[in-house]
Amino acid sequence: MSDSVTFWFDPSCPWAWMTSRWVDEVSDLRGFDVNWQVMSLAVLNENTDVSEEYRAFFPRALKYTRLVQAAQELHGQETVKALYDALGTRIHHDGNSDADSVIPAALAEVGLPSDFARYATSEEYDPQMRASHFEGINRVGQDVGTPVIAVNDVAFFGPVISPAPTGDAAVALWDGVVAVASYDGFFEIKRSRTRGPIFAPDLLAEVAE
């Protein structure tokens, strides 16, 4: 029996995007499906003391989260993953911070009508979005971020990785992360980040050298 895997993500987070590429790789190699669900950095930090610069980023992030939640409600999992891929490629790989250009292009790529963009600024599916967010975050606690991954009955934040491994390295990391997270008394392992997110495949070899 294959693992039951759920992945909670905020589409605007580069670290969640990096981890999602790794999970995507492992799901193909191991043959399990991933249940892709949104969470929201804006909701996570709505009652916390963060910098004004960071808070100014939340309205744009919320547009992407609302859009993906609408896709979940109206079109299901297949469209959620496709839309996340289309948004993430533009936001992270292409470095496009203009939601008004990212959203129409992503919708066109996945075959959704242009007027679907209205959900990016609509509160219609906010109750479902918030429910999805808290379903993930309540499994791991409030002092974490995105992504959250649940493997069967084991949930954890992260891992924070860069670049996303492929092939045997991806599977080895997966087995290791799931193993440590499965121990009930395990809570945290961490070291300082020495690089930012690396998105371009042609940079992978340079990092490995």
Side-chain angles (χ1 to χ4, degrees):
M1 181 181 297
S2 62
D3 288 328
S4 172
V5 178
T6 303
F7 187 99
W8 284 269
F9 63 94
D10 184 313
S12 63
C13 178
W15 295 105
W17 172 256
M18 189 68 64
T19 306
S20 75
R21 301 307 90 185
W22 164 64
V23 171
D24 218 15
E25 171 83 355
V26 178
S27 70
D28 286 341
L29 294 172
R30 281 286 174 83
F32 59 75
D33 293 327
V34 181
N35 179 18
W36 301 91
Q37 298 290 332
V38 296
M39 61 182 295
S40 170
L41 290 171
V43 173
L44 182 66
N45 292 284
E46 61 188 355
N47 296 314
T48 60
D49 184 17
V50 298
S51 69
E52 289 304 313
E53 180 182 9
Y54 188 39
R55 194 170 296 281
F57 147 82
F58 294 153
R60 182 173 76 245
L62 197 55
K63 288 183 179 181
Y64 300 135
T65 308
R66 283 172 165 163
L67 192 73
V68 176
Q69 187 64 50
Q72 172 78 281
E73 299 303 318
L74 298 174
H75 298 285
Q77 270 290 294
E78 184 174 346
T79 302
V80 167
K81 180 58 165 58
L83 184 55
Y84 182 29
D85 290 348
L87 289 169
T89 298
R90 289 162 176 80
I91 297 166
H92 305 300
H93 281 272
D94 300 344
N96 191 341
S97 60
D98 179 18
D100 291 336
S101 63
V102 167
I103 289 172
L107 293 177
E109 179 179 324
V110 301
L112 289 173
S114 59
D115 65 356
F116 199 86
R118 70 185 184 276
Y119 290 112
T121 54
S122 169
E123 298 179 2
E124 182 174 351
Y125 296 114
D126 275 14
Q128 293 91 330
M129 179 269 289
R130 295 177 71 87
S132 176
H133 169 87
F134 286 111
E135 181 185 357
I137 206 69
N138 286 342
R139 298 188 185 206
V140 291
Q142 294 293 323
D143 56 343
V144 299
T146 176
V148 169
I149 302 176
V151 182
N152 300 322
D153 295 326
V154 176
F156 50 89
F157 159 68
V160 177
I161 53 176
S162 179
T166 59
D168 291 343
V171 172
L173 179 61
W174 176 262
D175 289 341
V177 168
V178 172
V180 297
S182 297
Y183 175 60
D184 184 63
F186 177 82
F187 299 106
E188 185 173 359
I189 185 170
K190 188 173 183 177
R191 61 182 176 183
S192 297
R193 299 177 195 172
T194 58
R195 66 174 70 109
I198 298 174
F199 303 119
D202 57 350
L203 294 179
L204 298 180
E206 296 179 18
V207 173
E209 291 175 353

